[in-house]
Amino acid sequence: MLLKELSALASPLNDQQIGQLQQAVAELSPQQLAWISGYFWGLSQTPSVGQTVPAQQPAVAVASQPAGKLTIIYASQTGNAKGVAQALKAEADAAGISAELFSAGDYKGKNLAKETHVIIVASTHGEGEAPDDAIELHEFLQSKKAPKLPNLQYAVIGLGDSSYEFFCQTAKDFDAYLAKLGARPMLERLDCDVDYDAPAAVWRAEALDKVQETLVTADAQVVTLPVGQAVASVSAYTKQNPYAATLLTSQKITGRNSGKDVRHVEIDLEGSGLTYQPGDALGVWYDNDPVLADAILAKAGLSGEESVDVDGQAVSLRDALINSYEVTAANPQLVTRYADLSGSKKLAKLVEDKDKLREYAANTQVVDVLAEKKTVLTAEQLLGLLRRLTPRLYSIASSQEEVGEEVHLTVGLVEYAHAEETRQGGASSFLSRRLEEGESVKVFVESNNHFKLPADDNTPVIMIGPGTGIAPFRAFVQERDNRGAEGKNWLFFGDRTFTEDFLYQVEWQKYLKDGVVNRIDVAFSRDQAEKMYVQHRLLEHAAEVWKWLQDGAHVYVCGDANHMAKDVHDALLTIAEQQGNQSREQAEQYLSELRKNKRYQKDVY
């Protein structure tokens, strides 16, 4: 009715546009309409990409706004928590709630004493550690300097992966610290697993309802600050709306006799407008192997023709397994649920031991869990075991200064034998084996502000990246070469053998010859009787590493989180102890300060 009334008035929209708008909003709820109104208003205030907004006096508008305000703080390592926080901010704006958004790294902990309503969105990094941008706030809340917070109402949402021991630990920490300081929770903390979009959206709505219940509405001034610079480019392509790119090449770069299949992958981004910086990741949506889907159906006693509902659409069960559900990696929840459904004594025993359960789930695929005790399932029971499909993030292995409208990846095929059958990773086998050159792959760029080159091109950098961890450092060096950066570059690389597994060997040798890279130290574990790894090379060159650190070098580590990153961290601690004459505690504090100052950055998985 409202749109019909509007159409009778003088309108910048023609009849066709009004009709399209009526059709688009016909089935939306009041809350959704409110959100869209805020979204469209924001678009109307945003200049076109690249347009410069002239400097002007602050514009002041008087509007009915909550007298109190909501502060949203995100602790994000790869960008997921930031995305949830930004969505919460947009929804708060649409609902008329005055809200401010902060990265944890930009928020002063003492200001919590002045707040009335705070929502924290927190990811967990590594072994239960706070993300780099949240370290200082995390430590502050545990310290004697933290203020009492009797007037603060708060809510916490955590993002994590339940396959890991310290699931959503950072969110749990923030919840506990705030409660201990006297703050009152508005609603119960939500710990989200990898498939977080739907539960996070529901939680955000509940959280904003709680905020609205307690904020008092009054007239408040809304100030638009002057802007005098070009508006940053924002891509239309996201995790929810990926770009259909084209695979240009997938070339094996390990030797014929290597025990690994590592691919150099090139993807065409021409015309997409997608941009990225060295250190960012590429999100890749993939289809599961139809052969694997059929094997799972056979284990569950299902045909695959059963009709199931996926996001409101009726599809066949087989299509759902191929396109919408995670059917490769198992997880502790799946094992626990299947133990109950199947009555498997082996699985029931595993469930009783959390450590063994995590180890089993991490090393067993879904089809092999189902094989533990063949059980006829309904389609709903099978899907109830599975997580929704999520994209894989790959460290980008190129600089756009070098490759233009392309993006390069270094993809290691996950492959192993199980009971005389071959098991492969979902995304890695898609990119390496099943996707043909010229075919489409859905991608988006995931910014990573915690793994970035120094702003000063004269700063030396130490890069530690064994195996496919070499990927972002290829991007780093391409970028520094194209920028003519004067800062020194030192690469530590490791793998199994020199002849079969030296990834991008020719490129690195050329960079070394041309002086773009000043030093390369390699560790090939199987080329001698005693295993040699990158941490051993670090310790061999301890004095020189320490000198680089004293000269302001930034240290970057990329690759395996479970073993390599820990061993490298221990090596750096030892170097600080021995070369810096520090105690273990002092060395730990030294590395912590490096992390806070963004001089020690990790991209580990």
Side-chain angles (χ1 to χ4, degrees), residues 252 259-263 286-293 295-296 325-330 362-368 389 392 394 411-435:
K252 187 179 180 186
K260 297 180 177 181
D261 183 344
V262 177
R263 301 294 176 113
Y286 63 97
D287 295 334
N288 288 309
D289 187 348
V291 175
L292 179 59
I296 288 172
Y325 284 85
E326 171 64 75
V327 300
T328 49
N363 294 287
T364 310
Q365 290 206 348
V366 172
V367 69
D368 298 315
L389 192 67
R392 295 291 191 266
Y394 288 97
V411 179
L413 175 66
V414 176
E415 188 173 37
Y416 64 94
H418 178 88
E420 300 182 357
E421 293 186 69
T422 300
R423 298 284 180 251
Q424 295 181 338
S428 65
S429 64
F430 176 73
L431 289 170
S432 301
R433 299 282 178 87
R434 288 183 281 117
L435 188 68

Side-chain angles (χ1 to χ4, degrees), residues 105-116:
D106 297 329
Y107 187 83
K108 295 186 183 300
K110 64 182 181 181
N111 288 341
L112 285 169
K114 306 173 187 176
E115 306 283 9
T116 60

Side-chain angles (χ1 to χ4, degrees), residues 179-215:
K180 188 175 181 179
L181 294 169
R184 292 165 291 146
M186 290 183 284
L187 75 165
E188 187 176 348
R189 185 189 73 248
L190 176 67
D191 296 333
C192 293
D193 213 333
V194 289
D195 181 18
Y196 62 83
D197 286 332
V202 172
W203 187 92
R204 291 197 306 265
E206 292 176 354
L208 291 179
D209 284 345
K210 293 292 185 182
V211 172
Q212 281 184 312
E213 286 175 11
T214 51
L215 283 176

Side-chain angles (χ1 to χ4, degrees), residues 308-325:
V308 294
D309 182 279
V310 177
D311 299 331
Q313 297 281 331
V315 299
S316 74
L317 177 59
R318 186 175 188 269
D319 285 347
L321 294 181
I322 293 171
N323 302 311
S324 303
Y325 284 85

Side-chain angles (χ1 to χ4, degrees), residues 148-195:
K148 296 299 180 184
L149 304 171
N151 300 318
L152 177 65
Q153 296 188 61
Y154 75 94
V156 179
I157 179 171
L159 305 185
D161 183 340
S162 59
S163 299
Y164 290 89
E165 180 179 359
F166 299 100
F167 175 54
C168 288
Q169 187 61 51
T170 304
K172 294 173 183 175
D173 289 347
F174 278 129
D175 190 8
Y177 299 157
L178 291 174
K180 188 175 181 179
L181 294 169
R184 292 165 291 146
M186 290 183 284
L187 75 165
E188 187 176 348
R189 185 189 73 248
L190 176 67
D191 296 333
C192 293
D193 213 333
V194 289
D195 181 18

Side-chain angles (χ1 to χ4, degrees), residues 10 119-120 143 230 304-305 317 375 493 506 561 602:
I119 295 178
I120 295 179
S143 72
E305 296 303 315
L317 177 59
T375 304
F493 174 74
V506 174
K602 302 181 206 176

